[in-house]
Amino acid sequence: MGKLFLEHPGGRRLYACASCTTVLTNKRSLVSTSFHGMSGTAYLFNSVVNVLRGESRTTDMRTGRHIVRDVYCKRCQKYVGWTYEYAMSADQRYKEGMYVLECFYIMQLQSAVKD
């Protein structure tokens, strides 16, 4: 197995995988805290790093039908959320390309590095 290369999104307020503490995104990428996943509260981000994406699938959600991919931590490969590929409803298309990370699977970190 080769060496695992991880990215850092920058910033001081970070969100990381709760299982292995790999940094996934930062506070600047946070779009909304009003989302819900299978485990409860979830946050919408406009960008994440250090994730693997699963297969595309069509699913019915509270806000309508979407094509999504599950998202996994690149280091430990644990589930952390999903990404929206396509929204069937025009008023939901703002989510396309964004990521929902479930709070049960992530944690907040404070970095010593300044913005």
Side-chain angles (χ1 to χ4, degrees):
M1 186 169 149
K3 184 172 183 167
L4 181 65
F5 289 95
L6 299 175
E7 297 178 56
H8 194 287
R12 295 192 68 193
R13 297 184 66 192
L14 305 169
Y15 294 90
C17 173
S19 179
C20 70
T21 68
T22 296
V23 175
L24 303 174
T25 191
N26 60 35
K27 178 79 171 178
R28 285 182 301 218
S29 296
L30 181 62
V31 175
S32 174
T33 59
S34 301
F35 280 69
H36 298 279
M38 295 297 287
S39 65
T41 303
Y43 296 165
L44 180 69
F45 294 90
N46 61 23
S47 66
V48 300
V49 295
N50 304 320
V51 295
L52 304 170
R53 292 158 196 80
E55 295 294 318
S56 293
R57 63 183 168 85
T58 302
T59 186
D60 292 313
M61 297 183 161
R62 292 180 186 187
T63 56
R65 195 172 191 113
H66 301 273
I67 298 175
V68 299
R69 288 179 185 252
D70 286 341
V71 176
Y72 305 89
C73 173
K74 188 175 182 180
R75 177 178 278 159
C76 69
Q77 299 183 3
K78 301 272 181 156
Y79 171 85
V80 291
W82 70 89
T83 183
Y84 289 99
E85 290 204 330
Y86 183 74
M88 307 295 179
S89 177
D91 68 334
Q92 296 297 309
R93 297 230 169 98
Y94 75 94
K95 298 176 187 175
E96 292 177 1
M98 293 193 186
Y99 296 82
V100 175
L101 300 182
E102 296 193 42
C103 293
F104 184 80
Y105 303 111
I106 62 172
M107 61 189 290
Q108 289 188 31
L109 298 176
Q110 186 78 19
S111 173
V113 177
K114 294 193 178 197
D115 288 332

